[in-house]
Amino acid sequence: MTYNTKVFNYSNLAEEDKQIVVAQLLMLDSIENVITEYTFSNEAADNQLERISYQEGIKALIEAKQSMYDDIIEWMVFAIEGYEHEIEEVDTDDFFYGLYPESENK
C-alpha cells in the first residue's frame, strides 16, 4: 500500500505511540545484527552445506526484516488514523521524519 508520508510519519505520532515505534525499530535492528552475524559466518564457513545454510538464513531474515518494516509503517498509519485531533502535514517523504531531529536541521 502507498501512504502519504506528509501525514503518516513519526513526528505526527503521540508520545506513547512514538515509544512503541522506537521499541519496534529496536527489534528491527536486532534482525539486522543477526543478518550481519550470519554474513560474517557465511564468509568464514568451511564447507558448502554451512554456506548454504547461512545464505538461506540471510534470505529469510531479510524477508522478515522487510515484513517487520512494513508492519511498523502500517501500525503508524493505524495509530494516526485513530487520532481525533487534526494532523498537520509535514513536507517529507520519510515515514520516520522526526525520529532523528538532529539530521533534519542540516
Side-chain angles (χ1 to χ4, degrees), residues 25-36:
L25 290 171
L26 288 172
M27 289 187 296
L28 195 66
D29 192 45
S30 295
I31 292 175
E32 185 61 43
N33 291 339
V34 175
I35 291 171
T36 301

Side-chain angles (χ1 to χ4, degrees), residues 54-90:
Y54 283 119
Q55 290 165 3
E56 290 303 313
I58 291 167
K59 286 179 193 176
L61 287 166
I62 289 171
E63 288 176 18
K65 179 181 157 195
Q66 184 60 51
S67 178
M68 183 178 264
Y69 178 84
D70 294 343
D71 288 347
I72 293 169
I73 300 299
E74 288 185 26
W75 186 88
M76 288 172 43
V77 170
F78 174 79
I80 292 170
E81 283 181 336
Y83 297 160
E84 293 185 12
H85 63 280
E86 178 121 3
I87 302 298
E88 292 186 31
E89 287 193 5
V90 179

Side-chain angles (χ1 to χ4, degrees), residues 43-55:
E43 292 169 1
D46 293 333
N47 62 60
Q48 188 65 22
L49 182 58
E50 212 175 349
R51 282 190 287 280
I52 290 171
S53 295
Y54 283 119
Q55 290 165 3

Side-chain angles (χ1 to χ4, degrees), residues 11-30:
S11 70
N12 281 331
L13 289 169
E15 287 305 313
E16 59 271 10
D17 292 336
K18 286 180 179 180
Q19 293 174 0
I20 292 169
V21 169
V22 167
Q24 292 171 326
L25 290 171
L26 288 172
M27 289 187 296
L28 195 66
D29 192 45
S30 295

